[in-house]
Amino acid sequence: MNKKLTVWLPLLFSLTTIIGMFMGYKMRDAMPGKSFFYSQKQNSLQEVADLIKNRYVDTVNINAITDTAIIAMLSKLDPHSAYIPAAELQDINDDIKGSFFGLGIEYNIINDSLNIVHVLPNGPAEKAGLQTGDVVLKAGDSTISGKPINQYILKNIFRGGDGSKLTLVILRNASKLTVTVTRGNIPVKSIDVAYMLNTSIGYIKINKFTTQTYKEFMNNLLTLKQQKMTSLVLDLRGNGGGVLDEATEVVDELLAGDKLITYTQGTHSEKKEIRCRRQGQFEQGKVVILADENTASASEVLMGALQDWDRATILGRQSFGKGLVQEQYDLSNQGALRLTIARYFTPLGRSIQRPYKLGNKAYFDAYINRYYNGQNSTADSIKNDTSKVYKTTKGKKLYAAGGITPDYFISTDTSKMSKNVLQLFSKGLLNDFGYRYIKQNKTIVTQYKTANIFIKNFVISPADWQYFNKLAIADSITNTTVNPTEKTYIQKILKASIAKQLFNASGYYQTLNDDDNYIKKALELLK
């Protein structure tokens, strides 16, 4: 009998303990906000979310509240740690990937109507028969003409799975047509234009770094080399960064040997070096890089490496100063967290990140104020930290200022940015003009065979300026009082807008580069 008791006693004790725990939890369940699975380790954020969900007087969207709380929490860290809601994640991932599944059209909203301003050659829309100038009245079950149109909703309507279909009702020359488009892969180019500035100097403009940038860069670089390029102008103005690996691959094509490109380091991240791994395709020719206050992140890593190794001359204005490494973590709510885990450093050890201790508002205000506090002078308004000097192998002195300081400074001409000019940009009239102009002057399509011929021979006539003024007045903009400097600037943008309609982004940037101060200085340096 004693032996049996010895065998069963541990089991009886375990059962008693489990029953006691269960009864304890059941008693605590009666308390507000507690449950069977409640844990003392639960954080305050989750406690509050549970209380609101279970006890609040009205029904609420708890996910939206949690999103707001996460964003508020991240705002106490650095300016670039970010929460990405599920609704926005796909668009951001598509941008990094460099492609998406859609129709292959570009459109502008003019007078509450969706006008197709460009159809991708050999894309799904062209194969279905859509044309530039078509007005989309209906897409699927959604009427999208004659009322304000939400851009985010439009994007969701036009994009979809590979091979999925979308039926459009369009207006063409006063006739209604029904067209069904089968969605396909649409590339998002990260290189806007690549061409020869003269017989020996090539030009490449990279707008961002996606997973396809290095491939695009190599295709364009080799094409320019075949055209006898011996020097390169690399335009990174407005390039906010992107995929770091793609930027370092571009550096590898320009730097000889196994040189250090950048390294990252953080409190919880060990030092990681990224170095050149192979012989590059353009290790000897001169390189000039164009930069401005919107040049950031991976672009700054690229510039810092080439500047530290005396490989490139930086021309323009102080770059943004984003030198924080973000790592993306997928969350259970289908959103994602981009958390800063380390800092970028140039090969010489300069930190790219500018200070942000005064908070996000002061951080971004300081960036905006660059336009107004001295940058129209002959020197950059940002003061370098001269307490520590970095020297290149050729003896050039560099300093840490947050961002990359150019070797040659070019100021912003803020005299061109009056209230009227800013209105023209904000209302989209400058963007729309090329499309509207060509609808009124269809013979121009066959009049100019190349962008170069257009740039040399086309001028905005008095009649064209009058037509533009008429459009501006219709949009409640009175630009007849602009000064001569502003008028010259506006006419250049109008000409570029027409060139974009005729020759796509390539024509647009070639037109803007004509008589551009950056390009003039670059050509002078590369003589």
Side-chain angles (χ1 to χ4, degrees), residues 309-367:
W309 288 111
D310 293 305
R311 179 67 187 92
T313 300
I314 312 299
L315 172 63
R317 296 191 292 279
Q318 185 93 16
S319 64
F320 184 92
K322 181 186 180 297
L324 298 175
V325 184
Q326 280 77 49
E327 192 164 287
Q328 184 165 308
Y329 300 91
D330 293 332
L331 303 177
S332 59
N333 66 356
Q334 308 306 313
L337 173 66
R338 282 191 178 171
L339 187 67
T340 297
I341 61 168
R343 296 176 184 270
Y344 292 118
F345 296 87
T346 71
L348 290 177
R350 294 185 291 158
S351 175
I352 293 172
Q353 180 63 42
R354 59 190 170 93
Y356 53 85
K357 291 183 179 179
L358 297 178
N360 289 2
K361 185 178 186 305
Y363 177 79
F364 288 107
D365 282 352
Y367 154 69

Short mmCIF file of all heavy atoms in Angstrom, two decimals, residues 309-367:
data_model
loop_
_atom_site.label_atom_id
_atom_site.label_comp_id
_atom_site.label_asym_id
_atom_site.label_seq_id
_atom_site.Cartn_x
_atom_site.Cartn_y
_atom_site.Cartn_z
N TRP A 309 39.01 58.54 -51.44
CA TRP A 309 40.09 57.91 -52.22
C TRP A 309 40.57 58.81 -53.36
O TRP A 309 41.28 58.33 -54.25
CB TRP A 309 39.62 56.56 -52.78
CG TRP A 309 39.50 55.48 -51.73
CD1 TRP A 309 38.36 54.91 -51.27
CD2 TRP A 309 40.57 54.86 -51.02
NE1 TRP A 309 38.63 53.97 -50.31
CE2 TRP A 309 39.99 53.91 -50.14
CE3 TRP A 309 41.96 55.00 -51.03
CZ2 TRP A 309 40.75 53.11 -49.28
CZ3 TRP A 309 42.73 54.21 -50.18
CH2 TRP A 309 42.12 53.28 -49.32
N ASP A 310 40.20 60.08 -53.35
CA ASP A 310 40.62 61.03 -54.40
C ASP A 310 40.23 60.55 -55.79
O ASP A 310 40.90 60.85 -56.78
CB ASP A 310 42.15 61.24 -54.36
CG ASP A 310 42.60 61.95 -53.10
OD1 ASP A 310 42.09 63.05 -52.83
OD2 ASP A 310 43.46 61.40 -52.38
N ARG A 311 39.11 59.82 -55.86
CA ARG A 311 38.72 59.24 -57.16
C ARG A 311 37.74 60.13 -57.92
O ARG A 311 37.64 60.04 -59.14
CB ARG A 311 38.08 57.86 -56.92
CG ARG A 311 37.61 57.16 -58.18
CD ARG A 311 38.78 56.77 -59.08
NE ARG A 311 38.32 56.24 -60.36
CZ ARG A 311 38.14 56.96 -61.45
NH1 ARG A 311 38.38 58.28 -61.45
NH2 ARG A 311 37.74 56.40 -62.57
N ALA A 312 37.00 60.99 -57.20
CA ALA A 312 36.00 61.83 -57.86
C ALA A 312 36.01 63.23 -57.25
O ALA A 312 36.37 63.42 -56.09
CB ALA A 312 34.61 61.22 -57.73
N THR A 313 35.59 64.18 -58.05
CA THR A 313 35.39 65.55 -57.59
C THR A 313 33.90 65.77 -57.35
O THR A 313 33.09 65.48 -58.24
CB THR A 313 35.89 66.57 -58.64
OG1 THR A 313 37.29 66.34 -58.87
CG2 THR A 313 35.68 67.99 -58.16
N ILE A 314 33.54 66.24 -56.16
CA ILE A 314 32.13 66.45 -55.81
C ILE A 314 31.78 67.90 -56.10
O ILE A 314 32.46 68.82 -55.65
CB ILE A 314 31.84 66.13 -54.34
CG1 ILE A 314 32.46 64.78 -53.94
CG2 ILE A 314 30.34 66.14 -54.08
CD1 ILE A 314 31.94 63.59 -54.71
N LEU A 315 30.70 68.09 -56.83
CA LEU A 315 30.30 69.42 -57.29
C LEU A 315 28.86 69.68 -56.89
O LEU A 315 27.99 68.85 -57.13
CB LEU A 315 30.45 69.48 -58.82
CG LEU A 315 29.94 70.71 -59.56
CD1 LEU A 315 30.68 71.95 -59.14
CD2 LEU A 315 30.09 70.48 -61.06
N GLY A 316 28.59 70.82 -56.26
CA GLY A 316 27.21 71.16 -55.93
C GLY A 316 27.06 71.72 -54.54
O GLY A 316 27.72 72.68 -54.16
N ARG A 317 26.18 71.08 -53.74
CA ARG A 317 25.88 71.57 -52.40
C ARG A 317 25.96 70.43 -51.38
O ARG A 317 25.95 69.26 -51.76
CB ARG A 317 24.49 72.23 -52.36
CG ARG A 317 24.40 73.46 -53.24
CD ARG A 317 23.12 74.25 -52.99
NE ARG A 317 21.92 73.55 -53.41
CZ ARG A 317 21.47 73.52 -54.67
NH1 ARG A 317 22.15 74.11 -55.64
NH2 ARG A 317 20.36 72.88 -54.96
N GLN A 318 26.04 70.82 -50.13
CA GLN A 318 26.12 69.84 -49.04
C GLN A 318 25.00 68.82 -49.17
O GLN A 318 23.83 69.18 -49.34
CB GLN A 318 26.00 70.57 -47.71
CG GLN A 318 26.19 69.68 -46.49
CD GLN A 318 27.62 69.68 -46.02
OE1 GLN A 318 28.40 70.54 -46.41
NE2 GLN A 318 27.98 68.72 -45.20
N SER A 319 25.35 67.54 -49.08
CA SER A 319 24.32 66.50 -49.18
C SER A 319 23.49 66.45 -47.90
O SER A 319 23.78 67.12 -46.91
CB SER A 319 24.97 65.15 -49.46
OG SER A 319 25.82 64.76 -48.39
N PHE A 320 22.45 65.64 -47.90
CA PHE A 320 21.45 65.65 -46.83
C PHE A 320 22.04 65.33 -45.46
O PHE A 320 21.72 65.97 -44.47
CB PHE A 320 20.34 64.64 -47.18
CG PHE A 320 19.21 64.63 -46.19
CD1 PHE A 320 18.09 65.43 -46.40
CD2 PHE A 320 19.24 63.83 -45.06
CE1 PHE A 320 17.04 65.43 -45.48
CE2 PHE A 320 18.21 63.82 -44.15
CZ PHE A 320 17.10 64.63 -44.36
N GLY A 321 22.87 64.30 -45.39
CA GLY A 321 23.44 63.90 -44.10
C GLY A 321 22.68 62.77 -43.44
O GLY A 321 22.45 62.77 -42.23
N LYS A 322 22.28 61.75 -44.23
CA LYS A 322 21.60 60.57 -43.67
C LYS A 322 22.59 59.41 -43.69
O LYS A 322 22.83 58.80 -44.74
CB LYS A 322 20.36 60.20 -44.47
CG LYS A 322 19.63 58.98 -43.91
CD LYS A 322 18.48 58.56 -44.80
CE LYS A 322 17.76 57.34 -44.22
NZ LYS A 322 18.62 56.14 -44.15
N GLY A 323 23.16 59.14 -42.54
CA GLY A 323 24.15 58.07 -42.45
C GLY A 323 23.77 57.02 -41.44
O GLY A 323 24.62 56.47 -40.73
N LEU A 324 22.48 56.71 -41.34
CA LEU A 324 22.00 55.68 -40.42
C LEU A 324 21.55 54.45 -41.20
O LEU A 324 20.88 54.57 -42.23
CB LEU A 324 20.83 56.22 -39.58
CG LEU A 324 21.16 57.42 -38.67
CD1 LEU A 324 19.89 57.92 -37.99
CD2 LEU A 324 22.20 57.05 -37.64
N VAL A 325 21.91 53.28 -40.70
CA VAL A 325 21.57 52.02 -41.35
C VAL A 325 20.25 51.50 -40.80
O VAL A 325 20.11 51.32 -39.59
CB VAL A 325 22.67 50.96 -41.10
CG1 VAL A 325 22.36 49.68 -41.86
CG2 VAL A 325 24.04 51.51 -41.47
N GLN A 326 19.27 51.28 -41.69
CA GLN A 326 18.00 50.70 -41.25
C GLN A 326 17.90 49.23 -41.67
O GLN A 326 18.31 48.87 -42.78
CB GLN A 326 16.80 51.45 -41.86
CG GLN A 326 16.44 52.73 -41.15
CD GLN A 326 17.38 53.85 -41.50
OE1 GLN A 326 17.66 54.10 -42.66
NE2 GLN A 326 17.90 54.52 -40.49
N GLU A 327 17.39 48.42 -40.76
CA GLU A 327 17.10 47.02 -41.08
C GLU A 327 15.60 46.83 -40.97
O GLU A 327 14.97 47.32 -40.03
CB GLU A 327 17.84 46.09 -40.12
CG GLU A 327 17.83 44.64 -40.55
CD GLU A 327 18.87 43.82 -39.81
OE1 GLU A 327 20.07 43.98 -40.11
OE2 GLU A 327 18.50 43.04 -38.92
N GLN A 328 15.02 46.14 -41.95
CA GLN A 328 13.56 45.98 -41.98
C GLN A 328 13.14 44.67 -41.32
O GLN A 328 13.67 43.61 -41.63
CB GLN A 328 13.06 46.04 -43.42
CG GLN A 328 11.53 45.99 -43.53
CD GLN A 328 11.04 46.41 -44.90
OE1 GLN A 328 11.41 47.48 -45.39
NE2 GLN A 328 10.22 45.59 -45.53
N TYR A 329 12.17 44.77 -40.42
CA TYR A 329 11.63 43.61 -39.73
C TYR A 329 10.13 43.51 -40.05
O TYR A 329 9.38 44.47 -39.85
CB TYR A 329 11.82 43.74 -38.22
CG TYR A 329 13.26 43.86 -37.78
CD1 TYR A 329 13.87 45.11 -37.67
CD2 TYR A 329 14.02 42.73 -37.51
CE1 TYR A 329 15.20 45.23 -37.28
CE2 TYR A 329 15.35 42.83 -37.12
CZ TYR A 329 15.93 44.09 -37.00
OH TYR A 329 17.25 44.20 -36.62
N ASP A 330 9.70 42.36 -40.53
CA ASP A 330 8.28 42.14 -40.80
C ASP A 330 7.53 41.92 -39.49
O ASP A 330 8.02 41.24 -38.59
CB ASP A 330 8.09 40.93 -41.71
CG ASP A 330 8.65 41.16 -43.11
OD1 ASP A 330 8.67 42.34 -43.53
OD2 ASP A 330 9.08 40.19 -43.75
N LEU A 331 6.34 42.50 -39.38
CA LEU A 331 5.53 42.41 -38.17
C LEU A 331 4.30 41.53 -38.40
O LEU A 331 3.90 41.28 -39.54
CB LEU A 331 5.09 43.81 -37.74
CG LEU A 331 6.23 44.82 -37.49
CD1 LEU A 331 5.65 46.19 -37.15
CD2 LEU A 331 7.16 44.34 -36.39
N SER A 332 3.71 41.08 -37.30
CA SER A 332 2.58 40.15 -37.39
C SER A 332 1.34 40.79 -38.01
O SER A 332 0.47 40.09 -38.52
CB SER A 332 2.22 39.62 -36.00
OG SER A 332 1.89 40.69 -35.12
N ASN A 333 1.25 42.13 -38.01
CA ASN A 333 0.09 42.81 -38.60
C ASN A 333 0.29 43.10 -40.09
O ASN A 333 -0.42 43.91 -40.67
CB ASN A 333 -0.21 44.10 -37.84
CG ASN A 333 0.89 45.14 -38.00
OD1 ASN A 333 1.94 44.87 -38.61
ND2 ASN A 333 0.68 46.33 -37.45
N GLN A 334 1.28 42.47 -40.71
CA GLN A 334 1.62 42.60 -42.13
C GLN A 334 2.33 43.92 -42.45
O GLN A 334 2.63 44.20 -43.60
CB GLN A 334 0.36 42.48 -43.03
CG GLN A 334 -0.49 41.25 -42.76
CD GLN A 334 0.31 39.95 -42.82
OE1 GLN A 334 1.07 39.73 -43.74
NE2 GLN A 334 0.15 39.09 -41.82
N GLY A 335 2.57 44.73 -41.43
CA GLY A 335 3.38 45.93 -41.62
C GLY A 335 4.85 45.59 -41.43
O GLY A 335 5.24 44.43 -41.38
N ALA A 336 5.67 46.61 -41.31
CA ALA A 336 7.10 46.38 -41.13
C ALA A 336 7.71 47.51 -40.31
O ALA A 336 7.20 48.64 -40.28
CB ALA A 336 7.82 46.26 -42.47
N LEU A 337 8.78 47.18 -39.63
CA LEU A 337 9.53 48.16 -38.86
C LEU A 337 10.91 48.32 -39.48
O LEU A 337 11.63 47.34 -39.67
CB LEU A 337 9.68 47.69 -37.41
CG LEU A 337 10.60 48.54 -36.50
CD1 LEU A 337 10.00 49.92 -36.30
CD2 LEU A 337 10.84 47.84 -35.17
N ARG A 338 11.25 49.57 -39.83
CA ARG A 338 12.60 49.86 -40.28
C ARG A 338 13.34 50.52 -39.11
O ARG A 338 13.09 51.68 -38.80
CB ARG A 338 12.59 50.78 -41.50
CG ARG A 338 12.25 50.02 -42.77
CD ARG A 338 12.48 50.85 -44.00
NE ARG A 338 12.18 50.08 -45.19
CZ ARG A 338 12.12 50.59 -46.41
NH1 ARG A 338 12.35 51.88 -46.59
NH2 ARG A 338 11.85 49.83 -47.45
N LEU A 339 14.20 49.76 -38.50
CA LEU A 339 14.87 50.20 -37.28
C LEU A 339 16.33 50.52 -37.56
O LEU A 339 17.04 49.73 -38.20
CB LEU A 339 14.76 49.12 -36.21
CG LEU A 339 15.26 49.48 -34.81
CD1 LEU A 339 14.36 50.55 -34.19
CD2 LEU A 339 15.31 48.23 -33.93
N THR A 340 16.78 51.66 -37.06
CA THR A 340 18.18 52.03 -37.21
C THR A 340 19.03 51.16 -36.32
O THR A 340 18.81 51.07 -35.11
CB THR A 340 18.38 53.52 -36.85
OG1 THR A 340 17.64 54.32 -37.77
CG2 THR A 340 19.84 53.90 -36.93
N ILE A 341 20.03 50.49 -36.90
CA ILE A 341 20.86 49.56 -36.13
C ILE A 341 22.34 49.94 -36.13
O ILE A 341 23.12 49.42 -35.34
CB ILE A 341 20.72 48.12 -36.66
CG1 ILE A 341 21.19 48.04 -38.13
CG2 ILE A 341 19.28 47.62 -36.53
CD1 ILE A 341 21.37 46.63 -38.64
N ALA A 342 22.74 50.87 -37.03
CA ALA A 342 24.16 51.22 -37.11
C ALA A 342 24.32 52.54 -37.86
O ALA A 342 23.34 53.13 -38.32
CB ALA A 342 24.95 50.11 -37.81
N ARG A 343 25.55 53.00 -37.97
CA ARG A 343 25.88 54.22 -38.72
C ARG A 343 26.82 53.88 -39.86
O ARG A 343 27.63 52.95 -39.76
CB ARG A 343 26.55 55.25 -37.81
CG ARG A 343 25.67 55.77 -36.69
CD ARG A 343 26.45 56.71 -35.78
NE ARG A 343 25.63 57.14 -34.65
CZ ARG A 343 24.86 58.21 -34.67
NH1 ARG A 343 24.83 58.99 -35.74
NH2 ARG A 343 24.12 58.54 -33.61
N TYR A 344 26.71 54.67 -40.95
CA TYR A 344 27.65 54.56 -42.05
C TYR A 344 28.85 55.46 -41.79
O TYR A 344 28.71 56.58 -41.30
CB TYR A 344 27.01 55.03 -43.36
CG TYR A 344 25.91 54.16 -43.90
CD1 TYR A 344 24.61 54.66 -44.03
CD2 TYR A 344 26.17 52.86 -44.31
CE1 TYR A 344 23.59 53.87 -44.55
CE2 TYR A 344 25.15 52.06 -44.82
CZ TYR A 344 23.87 52.58 -44.94
OH TYR A 344 22.87 51.80 -45.45
N PHE A 345 30.02 54.97 -42.17
CA PHE A 345 31.24 55.77 -42.11
C PHE A 345 31.97 55.68 -43.44
O PHE A 345 31.93 54.64 -44.11
CB PHE A 345 32.17 55.28 -40.99
CG PHE A 345 31.59 55.45 -39.61
CD1 PHE A 345 30.79 54.46 -39.06
CD2 PHE A 345 31.83 56.59 -38.87
CE1 PHE A 345 30.25 54.60 -37.79
CE2 PHE A 345 31.30 56.75 -37.60
CZ PHE A 345 30.50 55.75 -37.06
N THR A 346 32.61 56.78 -43.83
CA THR A 346 33.42 56.77 -45.05
C THR A 346 34.72 56.01 -44.77
O THR A 346 35.04 55.74 -43.61
CB THR A 346 33.74 58.20 -45.51
OG1 THR A 346 34.68 58.78 -44.59
CG2 THR A 346 32.49 59.06 -45.57
N PRO A 347 35.48 55.67 -45.80
CA PRO A 347 36.73 54.93 -45.58
C PRO A 347 37.67 55.60 -44.58
O PRO A 347 38.39 54.91 -43.83
CB PRO A 347 37.35 54.87 -46.98
CG PRO A 347 36.17 54.90 -47.89
CD PRO A 347 35.18 55.81 -47.24
N LEU A 348 37.70 56.94 -44.55
CA LEU A 348 38.58 57.65 -43.62
C LEU A 348 38.00 57.75 -42.22
O LEU A 348 38.65 58.26 -41.30
CB LEU A 348 38.88 59.06 -44.15
CG LEU A 348 39.77 59.15 -45.39
CD1 LEU A 348 39.91 60.60 -45.84
CD2 LEU A 348 41.15 58.54 -45.12
N GLY A 349 36.75 57.29 -42.03
CA GLY A 349 36.14 57.30 -40.71
C GLY A 349 35.19 58.45 -40.45
O GLY A 349 34.76 58.67 -39.31
N ARG A 350 34.83 59.21 -41.49
CA ARG A 350 33.88 60.31 -41.32
C ARG A 350 32.45 59.76 -41.17
O ARG A 350 32.03 58.94 -41.98
CB ARG A 350 33.93 61.26 -42.51
CG ARG A 350 35.23 62.01 -42.68
CD ARG A 350 35.14 63.00 -43.82
NE ARG A 350 35.05 62.37 -45.12
CZ ARG A 350 34.55 62.95 -46.20
NH1 ARG A 350 34.05 64.18 -46.12
NH2 ARG A 350 34.53 62.31 -47.37
N SER A 351 31.73 60.24 -40.16
CA SER A 351 30.33 59.87 -40.01
C SER A 351 29.50 60.70 -40.97
O SER A 351 29.64 61.92 -41.03
CB SER A 351 29.86 60.11 -38.57
OG SER A 351 28.47 59.85 -38.46
N ILE A 352 28.63 60.05 -41.72
CA ILE A 352 27.80 60.74 -42.70
C ILE A 352 26.60 61.42 -42.04
O ILE A 352 26.12 62.45 -42.49
CB ILE A 352 27.33 59.75 -43.79
CG1 ILE A 352 28.54 59.29 -44.62
CG2 ILE A 352 26.27 60.37 -44.69
CD1 ILE A 352 28.23 58.17 -45.59
N GLN A 353 26.13 60.85 -40.93
CA GLN A 353 24.91 61.34 -40.29
C GLN A 353 25.12 62.69 -39.61
O GLN A 353 26.06 62.88 -38.86
CB GLN A 353 24.41 60.32 -39.26
CG GLN A 353 23.14 60.73 -38.54
CD GLN A 353 21.95 60.88 -39.47
OE1 GLN A 353 21.75 60.06 -40.37
NE2 GLN A 353 21.18 61.92 -39.28
N ARG A 354 24.19 63.62 -39.86
CA ARG A 354 24.23 64.90 -39.16
C ARG A 354 23.46 64.79 -37.85
O ARG A 354 22.63 63.90 -37.67
CB ARG A 354 23.69 66.02 -40.04
CG ARG A 354 22.28 65.89 -40.52
CD ARG A 354 22.00 66.94 -41.57
NE ARG A 354 20.73 66.74 -42.25
CZ ARG A 354 19.59 67.28 -41.87
NH1 ARG A 354 19.55 68.05 -40.80
NH2 ARG A 354 18.48 67.06 -42.54
N PRO A 355 23.72 65.69 -36.89
CA PRO A 355 23.10 65.60 -35.57
C PRO A 355 21.58 65.67 -35.61
O PRO A 355 21.00 66.35 -36.45
CB PRO A 355 23.70 66.81 -34.83
CG PRO A 355 24.95 67.13 -35.56
CD PRO A 355 24.68 66.80 -37.00
N TYR A 356 20.94 64.98 -34.65
CA TYR A 356 19.47 65.02 -34.56
C TYR A 356 19.00 65.06 -33.10
O TYR A 356 17.84 64.77 -32.81
CB TYR A 356 18.85 63.81 -35.27
CG TYR A 356 19.38 62.46 -34.84
CD1 TYR A 356 18.87 61.81 -33.73
CD2 TYR A 356 20.40 61.84 -35.54
CE1 TYR A 356 19.36 60.57 -33.34
CE2 TYR A 356 20.90 60.61 -35.16
CZ TYR A 356 20.38 59.97 -34.06
OH TYR A 356 20.86 58.75 -33.67
N LYS A 357 19.88 65.48 -32.21
CA LYS A 357 19.55 65.48 -30.78
C LYS A 357 18.45 66.47 -30.41
O LYS A 357 17.81 66.32 -29.38
CB LYS A 357 20.81 65.76 -29.96
CG LYS A 357 21.83 64.62 -29.98
CD LYS A 357 23.03 64.93 -29.10
CE LYS A 357 24.03 63.78 -29.12
NZ LYS A 357 25.22 64.09 -28.27
N LEU A 358 18.23 67.49 -31.21
CA LEU A 358 17.22 68.50 -30.90
C LEU A 358 15.82 68.09 -31.34
O LEU A 358 14.87 68.87 -31.22
CB LEU A 358 17.60 69.84 -31.54
CG LEU A 358 18.90 70.47 -31.04
CD1 LEU A 358 19.19 71.77 -31.78
CD2 LEU A 358 18.84 70.72 -29.53
N GLY A 359 15.68 66.87 -31.88
CA GLY A 359 14.36 66.39 -32.29
C GLY A 359 14.15 66.46 -33.79
O GLY A 359 14.88 67.14 -34.52
N ASN A 360 13.13 65.73 -34.24
CA ASN A 360 12.87 65.61 -35.68
C ASN A 360 12.54 66.94 -36.35
O ASN A 360 12.97 67.21 -37.47
CB ASN A 360 11.74 64.61 -35.93
CG ASN A 360 12.17 63.18 -35.64
OD1 ASN A 360 13.30 62.93 -35.21
ND2 ASN A 360 11.27 62.24 -35.85
N LYS A 361 11.76 67.78 -35.66
CA LYS A 361 11.38 69.06 -36.28
C LYS A 361 12.61 69.92 -36.55
O LYS A 361 12.76 70.45 -37.66
CB LYS A 361 10.39 69.81 -35.39
CG LYS A 361 9.84 71.09 -36.03
CD LYS A 361 8.83 71.79 -35.15
CE LYS A 361 8.19 72.97 -35.87
NZ LYS A 361 9.17 73.94 -36.40
N ALA A 362 13.46 70.06 -35.56
CA ALA A 362 14.68 70.86 -35.74
C ALA A 362 15.57 70.23 -36.80
O ALA A 362 16.21 70.94 -37.59
CB ALA A 362 15.43 70.98 -34.42
N TYR A 363 15.58 68.90 -36.86
CA TYR A 363 16.41 68.17 -37.82
C TYR A 363 15.99 68.50 -39.26
O TYR A 363 16.81 68.86 -40.09
CB TYR A 363 16.26 66.68 -37.55
CG TYR A 363 16.99 65.75 -38.50
CD1 TYR A 363 18.36 65.53 -38.37
CD2 TYR A 363 16.31 65.05 -39.48
CE1 TYR A 363 19.03 64.65 -39.21
CE2 TYR A 363 16.96 64.18 -40.33
CZ TYR A 363 18.33 63.97 -40.18
OH TYR A 363 18.97 63.10 -41.03
N PHE A 364 14.70 68.42 -39.53
CA PHE A 364 14.23 68.67 -40.89
C PHE A 364 14.14 70.17 -41.20
O PHE A 364 14.31 70.58 -42.35
CB PHE A 364 12.90 67.98 -41.14
CG PHE A 364 13.01 66.48 -41.25
CD1 PHE A 364 12.58 65.66 -40.22
CD2 PHE A 364 13.60 65.91 -42.36
CE1 PHE A 364 12.71 64.28 -40.32
CE2 PHE A 364 13.74 64.52 -42.46
CZ PHE A 364 13.30 63.71 -41.44
N ASP A 365 13.89 70.99 -40.18
CA ASP A 365 13.88 72.44 -40.40
C ASP A 365 15.27 72.92 -40.81
O ASP A 365 15.40 73.81 -41.67
CB ASP A 365 13.44 73.18 -39.12
CG ASP A 365 11.93 73.14 -38.94
OD1 ASP A 365 11.24 72.67 -39.87
OD2 ASP A 365 11.45 73.56 -37.87
N ALA A 366 16.30 72.36 -40.19
CA ALA A 366 17.66 72.75 -40.53
C ALA A 366 17.96 72.42 -41.99
O ALA A 366 18.63 73.19 -42.70
CB ALA A 366 18.65 72.03 -39.62
N TYR A 367 17.43 71.32 -42.46
CA TYR A 367 17.62 70.92 -43.86
C TYR A 367 16.91 71.90 -44.80
O TYR A 367 17.48 72.38 -45.78
CB TYR A 367 17.08 69.50 -44.03
CG TYR A 367 16.63 69.14 -45.43
CD1 TYR A 367 17.55 69.00 -46.45
CD2 TYR A 367 15.28 68.94 -45.71
CE1 TYR A 367 17.14 68.66 -47.74
CE2 TYR A 367 14.87 68.59 -46.98
CZ TYR A 367 15.80 68.46 -47.98
OH TYR A 367 15.39 68.13 -49.25
#
